[in-house]
Amino acid sequence: MSVYIKNHSQPDKMKRLFLIVTAAVLAQTATAETVTYHCKMTKQDAHGWIAPEYAFRIDPTTASAMAATSYQDWAKAKFKDRGAKGYRVIWNLDQKMVAGGNARVRYQANLKPSDNTVAVRMAFVQGNFANKPFGVGTCSTVK
């Protein structure tokens, strides 16, 4: 009888271990889909429209993204997977102008995970301004 109980408990332990391992793998897979990049700008315009740092949360499987700057919290962004060219992330913000008032601006970041670089461009949504600030930087993944 004790042999039967001992043998019976071994499969239960194996089942529990299998379930725990499966749950861990599934949890890791679910979190592995979203990657957060932290980017520091190495060259930027002198007018302050390009922030010193950016962060991007990218989930290619759901084609979704979020963007944040050292000036602003997370904002929902449009996402495009450009294959070998990397990712394009576009988001709009309301920024305060030095002269007063707010300006609606559109940011576009071209993130290239293959060489950990980013290029950020800003354009004014309202008005036809010649000033189109630009910056480049290096990125690392955040774990």
Side-chain angles (χ1 to χ4, degrees):
M1 183 83 156
S2 63
V3 173
Y4 175 74
I5 292 172
K6 187 175 180 184
N7 287 340
H8 181 68
S9 64
Q10 286 290 33
D12 286 344
K13 287 181 184 178
M14 291 301 289
K15 284 180 187 175
R16 268 188 281 147
L17 179 62
F18 178 73
L19 290 174
I20 290 170
V21 170
T22 302
V25 168
L26 290 175
Q28 185 177 6
T29 303
T31 58
E33 292 171 354
T34 300
V35 179
T36 301
Y37 295 92
H38 178 242
C39 305
K40 292 186 178 185
M41 303 309 286
T42 56
K43 182 180 177 186
Q44 64 204 65
D45 76 318
H47 302 290
W49 291 103
I50 302 297
E53 297 182 21
Y54 289 88
F56 303 99
R57 287 185 188 149
I58 307 288
D59 187 350
T61 59
T62 62
S64 63
M66 301 277 290
T69 72
S70 48
Y71 303 143
Q72 300 276 340
D73 287 334
W74 291 102
K76 194 171 186 174
K78 294 179 184 176
F79 172 79
K80 181 177 183 183
D81 188 341
R82 300 172 59 214
K85 293 182 180 180
Y87 305 132
R88 177 168 288 157
V89 180
I90 300 172
W91 70 103
N92 294 329
L93 293 175
D94 288 323
Q95 298 276 14
K96 291 200 182 292
M97 297 180 69
V98 174
N102 288 336
R104 185 97 172 134
V105 295
R106 175 174 293 127
Y107 284 89
Q108 174 180 306
N110 293 321
L111 180 65
K112 202 169 177 188
S114 62
D115 63 359
N116 292 323
T117 59
V118 67
V120 178
R121 180 178 310 275
M122 191 280 296
F124 293 93
V125 175
Q126 300 163 338
N128 190 12
F129 297 97
N131 182 18
K132 294 188 178 178
F134 183 83
V136 295
T138 58
C139 302
S140 60
T141 56
V142 179
K143 297 183 181 195

